[in-house]
Amino acid sequence: MDTEPGVLVIDDELGIRVGCQRALQNQGYRVETAASGEEGLQKLQSDSYDLVLLDVMMPGISGLDVLDRISQLDPSLVCVVITGYATVELAVQAIKRGAYDFITKPFDADTLILTVEQGLEKRQLSKQAQRMAELEAEAEDLARQKKELERLDKIKSTFTLMVAHELRAPVAAIQSYLRLILDGYIPPEKQHEYLAKAERRALAQLELVNDLLDLARLQDPDVKTKTEPLQFDQVLEEIMDSMAGHAAEKDIHVEHAVESGLPAVDMTPQHARQLWTNLISNAVKYTPDGGRVTVSLSEQNGSLVGTVADTGIGIAENEIGLVFEEFYRSKAAKALTRMGTGLGLSIVKRIVETYHGTIRAESKVGQGTCFTFTLPVDRPSAPRQ
Ligand code: ADP
């Protein structure tokens, strides 16, 4: 790589070219010459220079046009124009069009060297200013990235704390039931009852661990699940059948309306089942005995649109934005049942987003809730992982 500054002399007069080259080479510059504007522009495209000495009065392409082309090629390149006697007007025009300085023929070597030195100094300064601006932009970018990493790190720590907290409760309960039995505080006829309680807590913990694993898989970009063309309405039928028993226990009437001839969607079957299961089981869980759950599926504007509505406890206005967050359980939900991980809706939201869809909830306390989700039928690309 050349370390000495590069100067290109563009002049149709051989004497000027040779004279400039000799004087500047003696100063340690790398100097090349061109006898016309066209040749000069070619050289500028194939090699890099720091300064151009340009005669503005040449046959062929005009010096001012060459100047314009130079500033398009490299705006930071310093141009010094060479003007003839009594062509000050041209020099002024050249300066207006971006030339740094001008030098009038005839000139001596000292004037030439001084002008070139000043031009190169200016070039050096503007390069430094540009580098400073780039460094500042890089520093700002790094500061932004650092802030984002700190934010993500905080979310991760909070999540880990919440997981630990949620996992500790059932283990502590199971441990204390077992300790009571082992220490002989529970008479044999009551031991079965305590073991059954311990098993219930173990099952709840298993459910939590399974939900956490599902969520982690959905959030891991390296985990790719296999999709296939699915009749989403058939998956719904299957889930409705599996929910019927539980709904009947609570005397909840579950009905569904499905548009006929719905197109297939490319999806992982397990995701489709989880989506329906979580929404419908929530509707049944949060609806008092004797209530109603209504499910619908249709196609609108190129998307499948699913709704799950119930006549249940509802969600307070200030809590509706929080129910898709991990571990969030509303006050009313906690009061109604201890069963729940607070992860079901996070999983649903993640599944819907994986397939470029959306989900929202509308609710009125004491009257019921309706979840509406969309799933584009023709996605632009594979699932978003
Ligand atoms: P959970 O295991 O608690 O049901 P989810 O993530 O499935 O967790 O739901 C989060 C919270 O959203 C619930 O705890 C409840 O407060 C609220 N929620 C979800 N579905 C309903 C519904 N159909 N009716 C009323 N509240 C609901």
Side-chain angles (χ1 to χ4, degrees):
M1 201 178 81
D2 296 313
T3 46
E4 69 272 26
V7 178
L8 178 65
V9 184
I10 308 177
D11 200 307
D12 59 326
E13 261 184 68
L14 180 65
I16 296 281
R17 292 201 301 276
V18 173
C20 289
Q21 190 166 38
R22 193 173 305 138
L24 295 173
Q25 270 174 346
N26 285 343
Q27 296 300 307
Y29 301 134
R30 171 175 60 89
V31 186
E32 283 178 42
T33 60
S36 66
E38 289 85 351
E39 191 191 344
L41 286 170
Q42 262 173 20
K43 287 206 161 164
L44 282 169
Q45 271 165 331
S46 55
D47 210 343
S48 80
Y49 299 92
D50 298 285
L51 187 140
V52 176
L53 276 166
L54 171 69
D55 183 357
V56 275
M57 292 282 279
M58 282 184 296
I61 177 171
S62 99
L64 291 179
D65 285 345
V66 178
L67 197 61
D68 288 345
R69 298 275 293 279
I70 290 176
S71 57
Q72 279 164 13
L73 281 175
D74 177 2
S76 69
L77 195 60
V78 175
C79 262
V80 173
V81 293
I82 305 171
T83 58
Y85 173 70
T87 49
V88 178
E89 185 56 33
L90 207 53
V92 172
Q93 272 188 48
I95 301 268
K96 277 189 188 155
R97 285 162 87 155
Y100 165 68
D101 203 352
F102 70 95
I103 185 167
T104 312
K105 286 183 203 172
F107 49 82
D108 56 26
D110 287 347
T111 313
L112 171 72
I113 291 164
L114 188 68
T115 313
V116 167
E117 265 175 9
Q118 285 171 348
L120 288 172
E121 208 170 296
K122 187 232 165 198
R123 161 98 165 153
Q124 197 58 28
L125 284 175
S126 55
K127 266 185 168 172
Q128 278 170 2
Q130 193 185 343
R131 184 73 197 122
M132 282 293 281
E134 279 167 13
L135 284 175
E136 268 170 33
E138 272 171 35
E140 266 173 34
D141 201 39
L142 281 176
R144 244 195 321 276
Q145 285 180 24
K146 181 170 173 268
K147 233 176 162 178
E148 178 61 8
L149 282 177
E150 281 170 356
R151 191 184 70 83
L152 292 175
D153 196 45
K154 193 149 180 257
I155 292 176
K156 208 173 144 202
S157 311
T158 313
F159 185 73
T160 311
L161 267 177
M162 282 159 91
V163 170
H165 178 81
E166 294 294 320
L167 289 176
R168 193 173 61 175
V171 177
I174 293 166
Q175 193 268 339
S176 63
Y177 292 138
L178 295 179
R179 177 68 20 222
L180 286 173
I181 294 171
L182 289 171
D183 286 351
Y185 289 111
I186 310 295
E189 68 277 11
K190 291 205 93 184
Q191 282 180 7
H192 183 269
E193 183 190 322
Y194 273 72
L195 288 174
K197 279 186 191 179
E199 193 200 17
R200 273 203 297 279
R201 300 305 295 262
L203 284 174
Q205 177 147 27
L206 206 56
E207 193 188 332
L208 178 62
V209 171
N210 285 336
D211 279 357
L212 281 169
L213 285 174
D214 287 341
L215 199 62
R217 272 191 219 109
L218 279 161
Q219 281 168 340
D220 186 344
D222 293 334
V223 177
K224 301 262 182 287
T225 48
K226 210 168 157 286
T227 61
E228 56 185 75
L230 265 191
Q231 278 309 132
F232 206 53
D233 45 342
Q234 276 168 20
V235 181
L236 171 61
E237 295 290 343
E238 187 192 309
I239 301 303
M240 294 288 282
D241 286 349
S242 70
M243 295 278 163
H246 184 44
E249 271 172 32
K250 291 184 73 181
D251 191 23
I252 288 177
H253 179 75
V254 185
E255 60 189 9
H256 65 295
V258 175
E259 197 180 296
S260 58
L262 288 177
V265 275
D266 236 11
M267 235 180 143
T268 304
Q270 194 210 341
H271 289 163
R273 282 195 288 271
Q274 237 171 345
L275 178 53
W276 282 126
T277 305
N278 289 5
L279 289 177
I280 300 172
S281 67
N282 270 355
V284 172
K285 182 161 71 174
Y286 296 115
T287 297
D289 293 5
R292 177 181 290 269
V293 172
T294 313
V295 182
S296 79
L297 183 64
S298 59
E299 190 191 1
Q300 287 168 34
N301 307 322
S303 287
L304 289 185
V305 179
T307 65
V308 179
D310 61 54
T311 56
I313 59 172
I315 305 167
E317 217 178 309
N318 61 339
E319 290 184 289
I320 209 148
L322 302 170
V323 293
F324 294 102
E325 283 183 11
E326 286 103 357
F327 297 114
Y328 191 82
R329 303 199 67 218
S330 70
K331 285 199 191 76
K334 282 196 254 185
L336 183 78
T337 171
R338 284 174 58 189
M339 295 304 287
T341 61
L343 291 176
L345 285 183
S346 315
I347 292 173
V348 166
K349 183 162 189 273
R350 195 66 213 177
I351 291 175
V352 168
E353 285 173 354
T354 297
Y355 297 96
H356 306 268
T358 59
I359 181 154
R360 66 190 155 84
E362 288 155 294
S363 190
K364 275 216 160 68
V365 173
Q367 291 186 27
T369 305
C370 178
F371 286 91
T372 305
F373 65 85
T374 63
L375 287 175
V377 178
D378 292 315
R379 284 192 308 276
S381 58
R384 192 164 65 191
Q385 290 288 348

